[in-house]
Amino acid sequence: MRAVRLYGEGDVRIDEVPEPTEPGPDEAIVAPLWSGLCGTDVKEFTGHGGSIARKPHPLTGAGLPLILGHEFSARVVALGPRVEGVAVGDEVAVMPLIHCGRCLACRQGEHQRCAMKAWTGLSDRWGGFGERVLVRSYQLTPLAGISAVAGAVIEPAAVAVNAAARAGIGPGDTVFVAGAGAIGVLTMMAAKAAGASAVHVFELNPERAAFVGSLGGDVVPTKDDIPGYLRDRTDGLGVHVAMDCAGKPAALEACVASVRPGGTIGVPSVHPGATPFDVRRMTRDDLTLVGTVGYSRTLWEKTVLMVRAGVLPIEKAVTSKIPLDEIVTRGFEVLAKPSDETKILVQVNE
Ligand SMILES: [Zn+2]
Ligand SMILES: [Zn+2]
């Protein structure tokens, strides 16, 4: 089968590799339909990553070269004998988070906090940019009415829903989102779905800013005094919640400066290094900083319910669809430079 493999910085190849064979009793083999390119993949390609297993992963044994692709919809092609609730031919979303199942975090149901966790497409032997993927049955969620295109956006949407929920975004809240990449756009949608009264979004790239505006975000038109601009629109106080979806020092700084006393700053983005910020404001104004990784199982399932119900129009975040054999030239190389794209989907199987 064909599979897109990362060998190291700047080196992604479309290889011919053996398909997964028989699934184990609690495993399944799926054929990815649409698979999303993520900023995480691109950071590994440009060499600023840290998310993938470069040495053999303790849980999965996977290391370079590694099949990428952790955001994908798929069709079930084979099931182990103990798998229930899904049939061969069903279309599914694949929850890429793999956990050990034995540690205290796992036993408490906090899979995203498992110290041994791995991700299909980042630290597993298989990934969504391969024509077949071996997964654990608990990774499968039937799409049941959700399109295969939207199914490929459920994973980053779950990251956004989880981040918005953990930051406590609720009815009537005013929200600031720094950065309108895929996570920023999806966080804007998650905040609206949670009842936010306004979601102000700042994005440096004018094309991306216009795009998030067309999807319902209130675009912040200035980068000079974002906190002042937001205070002018929030009775002089600042927003209830600010979400750093850019992963840049200036974005976190703007978030910390833009929330009202008692406000919350959410950080679902991955910063490239140790980012300093003015912690005095945290103390003086009673602020809360909430970092999030992935999603809880509960919020993964709730994200699926929201997409199926139509309250989270995640399909609209897709800006390009490309074939697998053009993933390097029209995918990685495009996203490695400043780009107008939000979410590029790759068709892996028809
Ligand atoms: Zn991702
Ligand atoms: Zn564990």
Side-chain angles (χ1 to χ4, degrees), residues 20 26 60 135 145 150 152-153 194 210 216 238 255 283 290 332 345 349:
D26 295 305
T60 64
V135 296
V153 191
C255 286
T283 308
V290 180
F332 283 97
L345 293 192
N349 288 285

Side-chain angles (χ1 to χ4, degrees), residues 12-290:
V12 168
R13 305 179 206 168
I14 302 173
D15 287 337
E16 195 61 38
V17 302
E19 286 188 12
T21 49
E22 282 288 285
D26 295 305
E27 293 175 337
I29 294 174
V30 301
L33 298 169
W34 292 98
S35 192
L37 263 165
C38 174
T40 304
D41 301 319
V42 177
K43 280 180 195 160
E44 297 296 338
F45 178 69
T46 55
H48 309 303
S51 301
I52 69 145
R54 287 178 186 265
K55 286 181 286 189
H57 189 279
L59 186 62
T60 64
L64 293 177
L66 197 111
I67 305 176
L68 294 174
H70 60 275
E71 306 176 355
F72 59 105
S73 57
R75 186 178 297 114
V76 176
V77 296
L79 289 170
R82 283 209 295 258
V83 182
E84 292 176 354
V86 60
V88 169
D90 281 359
E91 291 188 0
V92 293
V94 174
M95 198 269 304
L97 178 53
I98 301 165
H99 52 89
C100 83
R102 295 181 298 274
C103 71
L104 183 59
C106 283
R107 295 204 309 276
Q108 292 183 163
E110 299 168 353
H111 303 162
Q112 75 278 28
R113 295 173 189 148
C114 171
M116 290 262 281
K117 68 179 178 291
W119 305 82
T120 300
L122 290 170
S123 41
D124 189 19
R125 292 176 184 276
W126 310 100
F129 294 134
E131 288 174 318
R132 294 289 183 275
V133 185
L134 182 74
V135 296
R136 284 80 170 155
S137 61
Y138 66 74
Q139 294 182 264
L140 303 178
T141 302
L143 288 179
I146 297 171
S147 75
V149 166
V153 191
I154 286 173
E155 203 276 343
V159 169
V161 167
N162 185 76
R166 289 249 296 129
I169 296 175
D173 281 351
T174 51
V175 176
F176 170 55
V177 174
I183 294 298
V185 166
L186 294 165
T187 297
M188 181 276 289
M189 291 181 186
K192 292 229 159 193
S197 56
V199 185
H200 303 278
V201 186
F202 177 73
E203 165 60 48
L204 274 170
N205 178 317
E207 296 289 332
R208 281 182 166 189
F211 183 64
V212 73
S214 76
L215 297 177
D218 295 324
V219 177
V220 177
T222 173
K223 71 178 170 72
D224 294 329
D225 182 15
I226 293 172
Y229 174 89
L230 294 172
R231 278 195 298 274
D232 285 346
R233 281 149 188 83
T234 50
D235 292 325
L237 284 172
V239 295
H240 292 91
V241 180
M243 304 295 291
D244 172 8
C245 298
K248 293 182 180 142
L252 181 65
E253 193 182 320
C255 286
V256 172
S258 294
V259 291
R260 64 178 55 205
T264 300
I265 301 111
V267 188
S269 57
V270 179
H271 280 241
T275 298
F277 71 100
D278 189 354
V279 75
R280 292 172 299 179
R281 219 209 134 208
M282 307 292 297
T283 308
R284 196 185 297 135
D285 286 326
D286 215 10
L287 307 186
T288 304
L289 184 73
V290 180

